[in-house]
Amino acid sequence: MKLLTIIGARPQFVKAAVTSRALAQVRPDINEVIVHTGQHYDANMSDVFFEELDIPRPRFNLGIGGGTHGQNTGRMIEAIEALLLEERPEQVLVYGDTDSTLAGALAAVKLHIPVGHVEAGLRSFNRAMPEEINRVLTDHVSERLFAPTQTAMANLSREGVDPARTILVGDVMFDAAMHYRERARQPGVAQSRYLEDAGFALCTIHRAENTDNHERLRAILDGLAALPLHVVLPLHPRTRARMQSAGIVAPDRVIVCDPVGYMEMLWLEMNCRIVLTDSGGVQKEAYFHGKPCVTLREETEWTELVEAGVNRLAGADAQRILSAYQALQSADMGTHRNLYGNGDAGECIARLL
Ligand code: UDP
């Protein structure tokens, strides 16, 4: 059976690595063809993941990135449709909530090729987020919905999705965190005795609602400056560009570096005191590695973490960021296990395809 996997952005490389490995192990009958849309193209946002996570090289790279949402999605649909007509796969697999996800799903479903959606059913209930639109639409045209959590299953059920199409498999990012943790590597940015002795916080910022609004971005950095420890901030290219154009400079104790590879990110997550992020994946990874998380948004798709008391929503408000940091000092990280499955989500998906 020929399966076309469509990916294009950093979190999708991590997720696809898990399924690709499982496919190679338990489904030798499946011929997986990987297509990279080109949505993320910097070496440290793309190539490093293929090298470190042993993802098979993409057979095709569409080279589509850098445009607006409409431009990217439109150009991707056109290019993916042409590829599907040429390759004629029996199934298509898409991941998460980016423009590559939606474009892949739409191109395939219109050619009557069944689509599997990994990380189905997530909702922020904030339709101003481009990711939310991508998720809702992808879920409703997909044939197989691989949900990571019970909350995601409930969301799909509420939207009237046929239960025969949905299945709770657990979270492939949990599989990844467990599988690769032994390969975690200390990045250069953390090799300072000062950081090692005093401990540090880890921060990532890349959501459009934060990067494209100077006031929010400034408020987040003010919040980081108010914390009583150093903060390591691997900076997403979009955030760096917005900070430069707005003349925003990182505060003294915030140590800015380029995006790091997955193994270095693992090390930072495993060795920091606390995580502050607007990323979906990094919120969960904080939990996987036993670290509390301040979420720099007004809502989260991973509500079970908030309910478990290990994640607090602080928006982009310096005072709320500091208060959340303080409140999380006494968070109980030891209980609430197995929120994200048993580490075999990739294998479940591979068997079900
Ligand atoms: N990540 C990484 N290096 C970084 C920042 C993030 O390897 O400098 C990884 C992170 O560990 C996680 C994934 O990228 O596995 C999350 O991607 P991102 O935050 O871009 O997207 P989101 O999860 O918000 O969709």
Side-chain angles (χ1 to χ4, degrees), residues 77-145:
I77 293 174
E78 193 176 349
I80 294 168
E81 182 183 59
L83 203 60
L84 291 171
L85 288 169
E86 213 175 279
E87 288 292 309
R88 303 214 159 270
E90 273 89 24
Q91 288 193 54
V92 162
L93 200 57
V94 296
Y95 290 84
D97 55 21
T98 72
D99 292 341
S100 304
T101 316
L102 178 62
L106 283 179
V109 75
K110 293 213 171 177
L111 293 173
H112 307 154
I113 303 170
V115 177
H117 184 204
V118 178
E119 211 179 65
L122 291 196
R123 296 290 181 267
S124 64
F125 303 102
N126 175 359
R127 292 255 168 145
M129 285 176 75
E131 295 91 343
E132 182 79 351
I133 306 301
N134 292 339
R135 290 178 194 128
V136 171
L137 296 176
T138 302
D139 280 342
H140 283 264
V141 297
S142 293
E143 181 74 24
R144 280 287 176 83
L145 294 109

Side-chain angles (χ1 to χ4, degrees), residues 194-195 197-202 221-232 252-254 273-274 276 294 318-319 321-329:
Y194 194 39
L195 279 188
D197 291 349
F200 65 93
L202 171 66
L221 291 168
D222 287 348
L224 299 182
L227 301 181
L229 76 179
H230 279 79
V231 181
V232 174
D252 276 353
R253 275 199 306 207
V254 176
R273 292 246 178 106
I274 190 166
L276 301 100
V294 177
Q319 187 52 49
I321 291 170
L322 179 60
S323 307
Y325 168 86
Q326 287 164 342
L328 285 167
Q329 297 305 305

Side-chain angles (χ1 to χ4, degrees), residues 200-206 210 220 223-234 254 265 269 272-279 282-283 286 291-297 311-312 314-315 317-318 320-326 328-329:
F200 65 93
L202 171 66
C203 179
T204 73
I205 310 166
H206 74 85
N210 287 332
I220 290 173
L224 299 182
L227 301 181
L229 76 179
H230 279 79
V231 181
V232 174
L233 175 62
V254 176
M265 190 65 179
E269 290 167 343
C272 68
R273 292 246 178 106
I274 190 166
V275 170
L276 301 100
T277 190
D278 60 10
S279 157
V282 177
Q283 285 177 63
K291 302 300 152 80
C293 179
V294 177
T295 296
L296 306 169
R297 290 175 50 196
N311 184 323
R312 284 193 171 230
D317 177 314
R320 280 172 66 199
I321 291 170
L322 179 60
S323 307
Y325 168 86
Q326 287 164 342
L328 285 167
Q329 297 305 305

